[in-house]
Amino acid sequence: MRHYTTEELDRYRNGDMNMLIRISCAGHLKQCSTCRNLLETVKQDDQLLEKVRNNLARFKAVSDEIPENKAAHHTS
Amino acid sequence: MAFTTRKSLLSKIKQGDEISWEEFYASYRPLIMLRAGDLGLKQTEKEDLVQIVMAEFFKGSRDFQYDRSRGRFRDYLKTIINNQAVSILRKRKNLEVGLDDREFILANGLEQAWDDEWQGHLMNMAMDELKNCVEPVTYQAFYLYAMQGQKSGEVAEFLNMSVNSIYVAKNRCLEQLKKIIADVSESD
Ligand SMILES: [Zn+2]
């Protein structure tokens, strides 16, 4: 019995795989703690990704603010 | 950093390499602006603060080199920003800042806020660094799918890749990002 890869489990939890493979993956997960643990890790990564996303948005918003002296220069 | 040929700005600072004004401005302006917001500065005051902090670092020279005997760069930067921000606040006509700079920061719970902004800054630099560590198409797949939240199928079609490759790219970038974050946090 082969274990599922990170990508396969990531696709599984997103419902991003065909029905037959999905059913077989669900069956495997019931019996395999290794894959269940890997699936948990993949879920935990979402928290980091969300943090990075929010952070990127904050820094991007402030980076996009044009300094007033430059803004005045552009409009003059 | 073992995983990249281009030195990050933070490692340049730590190793005492010369930093150009443009490099410093691009990387640190957002952090200074965010900190200025935490300290209650208005928009024009925030921009003044960026200029003053920059001037403090470059003092007439085009490049700047960090003197490591001054301690941790993050603490040195924080002190300069805090002092200059409090000094801007004091200049406001009706504001009486009776406390000294350090007391003012502590009294307003702004120490923790700096740690949060600094962590954000490191994460931001780590994302920048990630671009240099993976293939452009891998980064693009990661960015569109995991950062912008586009559907895997759409990204796959746009980049002419399989859906599975999008997931591979995402996980490769994520692992690399964790390493970079650990590395910059450790050497911080
Ligand atoms: Zn398994």
Side-chain angles (χ1 to χ4, degrees):
Chain A
M1 181 176 70
R2 87 165 176 91
H3 294 298
Y4 283 84
T5 63
T6 305
E7 286 75 30
E8 285 168 333
L9 292 173
D10 204 2
R11 294 185 69 168
Y12 167 78
R13 80 197 174 109
N14 288 341
D16 203 1
M17 56 173 29
N18 83 42
M19 190 58 85
L20 280 178
I21 305 175
R22 194 175 154 72
I23 291 167
S24 137
C25 186
H28 178 89
L29 280 166
K30 276 186 189 150
Q31 309 162 19
C32 178
S33 61
T34 307
C35 286
R36 278 201 304 274
N37 290 339
L38 184 56
L39 183 60
E40 264 322 294
T41 311
V42 172
K43 285 179 184 168
Q44 282 164 16
D45 285 341
D46 284 349
Q47 291 169 14
L48 172 65
L49 284 175
E50 196 188 344
K51 235 172 141 179
V52 175
R53 253 195 317 270
N54 292 340
N55 192 64
L56 211 60
R58 273 185 91 222
F59 275 75
K60 193 179 176 324
V62 84
S63 300
D64 289 347
E65 285 173 16
I66 301 167
E68 282 203 354
N69 51 354
K70 286 193 184 171
H73 181 73
H74 282 302
T75 52
S76 64
Chain B
M1 289 189 181
F3 41 78
T4 175
T5 49
R6 200 201 71 166
K7 259 189 186 177
S8 74
L9 190 58
L10 202 64
S11 35
K12 279 187 183 177
I13 289 169
K14 274 177 221 311
Q15 288 163 22
D17 293 357
E18 286 195 339
I19 309 293
S20 74
W21 195 94
E22 289 82 4
E23 258 185 306
F24 192 98
Y25 183 83
S27 291
Y28 285 94
R29 177 177 176 266
L31 174 66
I32 301 168
M33 295 284 284
L34 287 170
R35 179 62 175 167
D38 296 337
L39 293 163
L41 267 60
K42 296 175 193 158
Q43 191 62 24
T44 50
E45 291 172 331
K46 288 184 194 175
E47 282 153 16
D48 288 345
L49 181 67
V50 173
Q51 297 303 323
I52 295 167
V53 171
M54 293 288 295
E56 186 68 28
F57 273 95
F58 287 86
K59 290 198 173 126
S61 161
R62 210 200 155 277
D63 298 305
F64 130 87
Q65 220 166 352
Y66 183 60
D67 171 6
R68 279 175 289 173
S69 69
R70 292 176 197 267
R72 284 201 306 182
F73 178 73
R74 61 178 286 183
D75 294 331
Y76 178 67
L77 178 64
K78 177 182 75 177
T79 305
I80 292 180
I81 296 175
N82 286 351
N83 292 348
Q84 299 301 337
V86 173
S87 147
I88 289 173
L89 287 171
R90 284 210 173 94
K91 281 182 197 152
R92 282 190 196 167
K93 272 187 181 166
N94 300 321
L95 191 84
E96 292 286 328
V97 182
L99 306 167
D100 74 20
D101 299 359
R102 171 105 187 118
E103 285 168 332
F104 175 82
I105 301 295
L106 288 174
N108 289 282
L110 293 165
E111 273 299 319
Q112 180 60 43
W114 167 258
D115 291 339
D116 295 343
E117 300 297 15
W118 182 258
Q119 289 311 316
H121 169 71
L122 290 184
M123 206 178 264
N124 206 37
M125 286 180 92
M127 272 299 284
D128 208 36
E129 191 69 31
L130 178 65
K131 277 184 223 164
N132 300 305
C133 303
V134 294
E135 289 294 316
V137 72
T138 304
Y139 181 83
Q140 212 179 351
F142 170 74
Y143 191 82
L144 295 174
Y145 174 67
M147 293 292 110
Q148 292 201 332
Q150 293 188 28
K151 289 192 166 63
S152 58
E154 288 170 6
V155 179
E157 201 181 325
F158 178 67
L159 295 175
N160 199 19
M161 291 163 79
S162 68
V163 169
N164 205 56
S165 310
I166 303 301
Y167 280 89
V168 171
K170 176 210 148 185
N171 286 306
R172 185 174 297 161
C173 286
L174 189 58
E175 287 314 308
Q176 191 66 55
L177 190 63
K178 283 184 200 168
K179 280 186 206 162
I180 300 171
I181 291 173
D183 192 83
V184 291
S185 306
E186 190 183 284
S187 60
D188 164 32

